[in-house]
Amino acid sequence: MMNMIREQRLAWFTGAALIVLLGAIQFPLSGWTTSKPKLQQLMYIPDGQYLRMASLGYRELAADLLWLQAIQVMGRKKLSEVEGRWLYQVLDTLTTIDPKFVRAYEAGSIALCTLVVQPDASNRLLEKGILHNPQEWQLPFLLGINFYFELADDGKAAERITQAAHLPGAPNYLADLAARLYVSAKSPQRAVEFLAKAYEETSDPNLKKLLELRLKQTIVERDLQLLERVIGLYQTTHSRRPDRLEDLVGAGLLRELPHEPFGGRYLYESTTGVVRSSEVAERMRMSSRRRAL
């Protein structure tokens, strides 16, 4: 009985000490929302693993107290590089204390890219979140957005968006977005494979219709990119463009011309080298907008 009382007292004392420690760290941050903090104001944050062990039954409370500090900083319109590194440290620490704090991963990763341009830190935070919360589709989705807008890596963006699209609760539009990213990354065959699998696994008739349309559009883009590459090879070999698409087969560069999936045909202008579908007015592209790097 006495041992139990001692243990309860010890747990209470440890939790109280932890609250006092984190509270003491929080007070110097009160001025951050009204004035630019100086380097010496960036208080030391204890190691996350140490706080996790010390907090015992108060882990969520400890994480919440650190989160209050983080959101004070995230309330600013812009952060310096030093402030950004401090913010990442706080976010990393609180998600070590409470690895299931999904909101911290989401908001923190966005802040690290919008208030201060630190996409690598944002990505590390999201990777950590995905590791501990593998069923949360928002985390790989945000990671894909980072790869697209911050790092201009369409291929990795497509992989992460695809990962998000397969998780519970993910919105249907992610499948289309992933396909566009694969096309933008010059990997339309990956997009075709992804959409074909999604089409087979979908029972919703409305979604199936949309996926079929997107699949055909992606096949058109794949075929057009193929024809453009082969026309380039023909021109390199013969020092001129082919007169007709059939010349590509005659030259042994293709076994046969691809079939247009909408029932039309592929058109070719020998004077410009442009190929297009008779049934699709616009090429399938992702927006070229990028954040200035």
Side-chain angles (χ1 to χ4, degrees):
M1 183 67 178
M2 291 298 296
N3 288 336
M4 182 180 299
I5 294 175
R6 286 172 182 166
E7 290 176 0
Q8 290 174 345
R9 287 177 177 174
L10 177 61
W12 181 90
F13 177 79
T14 303
L18 180 68
I19 293 171
V20 171
L21 172 62
L22 293 176
I25 295 172
Q26 183 177 352
F27 283 119
L29 295 174
S30 60
W32 277 39
T33 57
T34 57
S35 63
K36 185 176 180 179
K38 297 179 180 179
L39 179 60
Q40 59 266 31
Q41 289 179 281
L42 302 179
M43 302 299 293
Y44 169 73
I45 302 297
D47 179 77
Q49 290 294 348
Y50 169 77
L51 289 178
R52 179 176 171 83
M53 291 186 294
S55 61
L56 298 177
Y58 297 88
R59 287 177 182 173
E60 291 185 1
L61 176 59
D64 286 342
L65 288 172
L66 283 172
W67 178 240
L68 288 175
Q69 296 180 43
I71 60 178
Q72 286 186 60
V73 180
M74 289 190 291
R76 296 174 58 85
K77 293 182 178 180
K78 189 176 182 180
L79 299 179
S80 68
E81 288 294 314
V82 173
E83 294 165 350
R85 289 195 296 272
W86 185 92
L87 176 60
Y88 171 76
Q89 183 183 1
V90 172
L91 293 166
D92 183 54
T93 299
L94 75 89
T95 53
T96 297
I97 298 171
D98 183 2
K100 300 296 185 181
F101 203 148
V102 175
R103 176 59 177 163
Y105 297 114
E106 294 174 343
S109 66
I110 295 172
L112 288 168
C113 286
T114 55
L115 302 182
V116 58
V117 184
Q118 292 185 356
D120 290 338
S122 178
N123 284 2
R124 287 197 300 274
L125 186 66
L126 288 169
E127 291 280 9
K128 181 181 180 181
I130 293 169
L131 177 65
H132 293 288
N133 304 274
Q135 296 302 305
E136 296 290 339
W137 69 266
Q138 297 92 334
L139 301 180
F141 172 74
L142 290 172
L143 188 55
I145 293 300
N146 276 1
F147 277 120
Y148 179 70
F149 283 103
E150 306 296 336
L151 302 174
D153 190 331
D154 294 351
K156 288 185 178 179
E159 291 175 3
R160 289 304 188 171
I161 298 295
T162 299
Q163 179 184 359
H166 284 90
L167 293 177
N172 294 334
Y173 68 80
L174 290 190
D176 176 71
L177 178 58
R180 288 179 175 273
L181 284 165
Y182 278 130
V183 169
S184 183
K186 300 299 182 182
S187 301
Q189 181 56 35
R190 290 286 301 278
V192 169
E193 293 170 359
F194 172 78
L195 286 169
K197 183 176 181 180
Y199 177 84
E200 291 174 0
E201 296 177 350
T202 299
S203 58
D204 185 323
N206 294 321
L207 180 56
K208 209 171 186 69
K209 185 181 297 184
L210 291 173
L211 286 171
E212 181 182 9
L213 175 61
R214 179 54 68 196
L215 176 59
K216 289 182 178 180
Q217 291 172 336
T218 306
I219 290 173
V220 167
E221 182 59 35
R222 179 199 64 185
D223 292 348
L224 292 179
Q225 288 188 23
L226 171 64
L227 291 171
E228 287 171 343
R229 288 196 301 272
V230 176
I231 289 170
L233 290 174
Y234 185 99
Q235 186 173 5
T236 299
T237 304
H238 297 80
S239 300
R240 63 179 180 85
R241 297 190 186 96
D243 296 323
R244 305 174 307 152
L245 289 178
E246 286 77 9
D247 294 344
L248 301 174
V249 178
L253 296 175
L254 288 176
R255 287 189 296 179
E256 62 177 1
L257 292 177
H259 299 285
E260 208 281 345
F262 288 99
R265 59 195 182 95
Y266 292 117
L267 306 176
Y268 167 65
E269 297 177 8
S270 60
T271 55
T272 62
V274 172
V275 287
R276 60 185 178 86
S277 165
S278 62
E279 307 302 311
V280 179
E282 295 182 0
R283 296 284 293 268
M284 187 179 175
R285 302 289 190 191
M286 286 293 296
S287 170
S288 60
R289 180 171 63 87
R290 287 288 191 272
R291 175 189 293 273
L293 298 177

